Amino acid sequence: MESNNEGELDVIICNVVATFRTGCRLNLHTIGSKGKNVIYNTRRGKVTMQLRKPRITASIWASGKVICIGASSEDEAKLGARRIARCLQKLGFKVKFSAFKVVNVMAGCSMPFKISLIDFTKKNRPIATYEPELYPAAMYTMRQPKATIKVFSTGSVTILAPSVVNVAAAVQHVYPLLSECRRPL
């Protein structure tokens, strides 16, 4: 999360959340008793399955909906989701991997300077909010491209967006705004 010597920022993807459907109903008790690396939570009505490669945690519901969390790229999320579907097939379910969608991407980067959050929110008033009593970061919500950016006074930035493309576009959009609000050393 450092800036490299060419003046570009290194944006690191921390988490990719994806969903898919199996196309069939699933018996959670069977998955919980016969599956590997699973936890069956009867109160919540779901099974949690973990993979080691790629490192993904999947929440599986009886309706056939699956949410995969923890991937570090969109390709890794798809590979992990397909591996989860294959594990369910091996347990005897007629799974058809369908409706795969990346839902959320979380990324972070560090600006090469510190930021005055009060100046940042004053200059970007309707879009940016900063309430230091509630949260130590300023929130900047973009509509186009869709993204939510958390800006900390240390220069650390966290981006939440529906795709990696939106993350990159959000960083390019917010960088000039942040450089205007540099905190003097």
Side-chain angles (χ1 to χ4, degrees), residues 1-11 109-112 175:
M1 296 205 314
E2 300 286 322
S3 67
N4 61 23
N5 53 8
E6 298 171 8
E8 295 178 5
L9 291 174
D10 289 334
V11 179
C109 68
S110 286
M111 297 293 153
Y175 183 81

Side-chain angles (χ1 to χ4, degrees), residues 13-18 54-58 67-73 76-77:
I13 297 172
C14 306
N15 188 14
V16 177
V17 179
R55 187 173 288 281
I56 286 179
T57 302
I67 298 177
C68 299
I69 302 168
S72 59
S73 70
E76 195 174 279

Side-chain angles (χ1 to χ4, degrees), residues 36-108:
K36 295 180 181 177
N37 297 324
V38 296
I39 299 169
Y40 180 29
N41 191 338
T42 55
R43 287 188 190 150
R44 294 196 177 175
K46 71 175 184 177
V47 172
T48 305
M49 182 182 286
Q50 293 183 331
L51 295 178
R52 290 186 187 156
K53 259 188 181 174
R55 187 173 288 281
I56 286 179
T57 302
S59 297
I60 304 167
W61 281 270
S63 65
K65 183 175 182 178
V66 181
I67 298 177
C68 299
I69 302 168
S72 59
S73 70
E74 290 179 345
D75 293 337
E76 195 174 279
K78 187 164 190 171
L79 176 68
R82 291 185 67 81
R83 287 201 55 214
I84 295 288
R86 185 70 181 127
C87 290
L88 294 173
Q89 282 178 341
K90 286 181 179 179
L91 291 173
F93 298 102
K94 295 182 179 178
V95 173
K96 292 179 184 169
F97 184 79
S98 64
F100 176 81
K101 182 179 178 186
V102 173
V103 179
N104 196 359
V105 177
M106 181 178 161

Side-chain angles (χ1 to χ4, degrees), residues 57-181:
T57 302
S59 297
I60 304 167
W61 281 270
S63 65
K65 183 175 182 178
V66 181
I67 298 177
C68 299
I69 302 168
S72 59
S73 70
E74 290 179 345
D75 293 337
E76 195 174 279
K78 187 164 190 171
L79 176 68
R82 291 185 67 81
R83 287 201 55 214
I84 295 288
R86 185 70 181 127
C87 290
L88 294 173
Q89 282 178 341
K90 286 181 179 179
L91 291 173
F93 298 102
K94 295 182 179 178
V95 173
K96 292 179 184 169
F97 184 79
S98 64
F100 176 81
K101 182 179 178 186
V102 173
V103 179
N104 196 359
V105 177
M106 181 178 161
C109 68
S110 286
M111 297 293 153
F113 47 83
K114 295 189 178 194
I115 301 161
S116 172
L117 295 180
I118 295 171
D119 290 345
F120 177 70
T121 52
K122 282 181 182 175
K123 290 181 181 179
N124 304 292
R125 180 67 29 91
I127 302 170
T129 59
Y130 177 51
E131 297 181 26
E133 300 86 13
L134 300 177
Y135 194 69
M139 301 289 280
Y140 186 83
T141 307
M142 297 174 54
R143 292 186 190 256
Q144 197 63 32
K146 188 175 179 183
T148 301
I149 302 167
K150 297 177 187 175
V151 181
F152 294 88
S153 62
T154 60
S156 180
V157 177
T158 303
I159 304 106
L160 296 166
S163 70
V164 174
V165 174
N166 284 20
V167 167
V171 170
Q172 287 179 345
H173 175 79
V174 81
Y175 183 81
L177 302 175
L178 293 173
S179 65
E180 289 177 8
C181 302

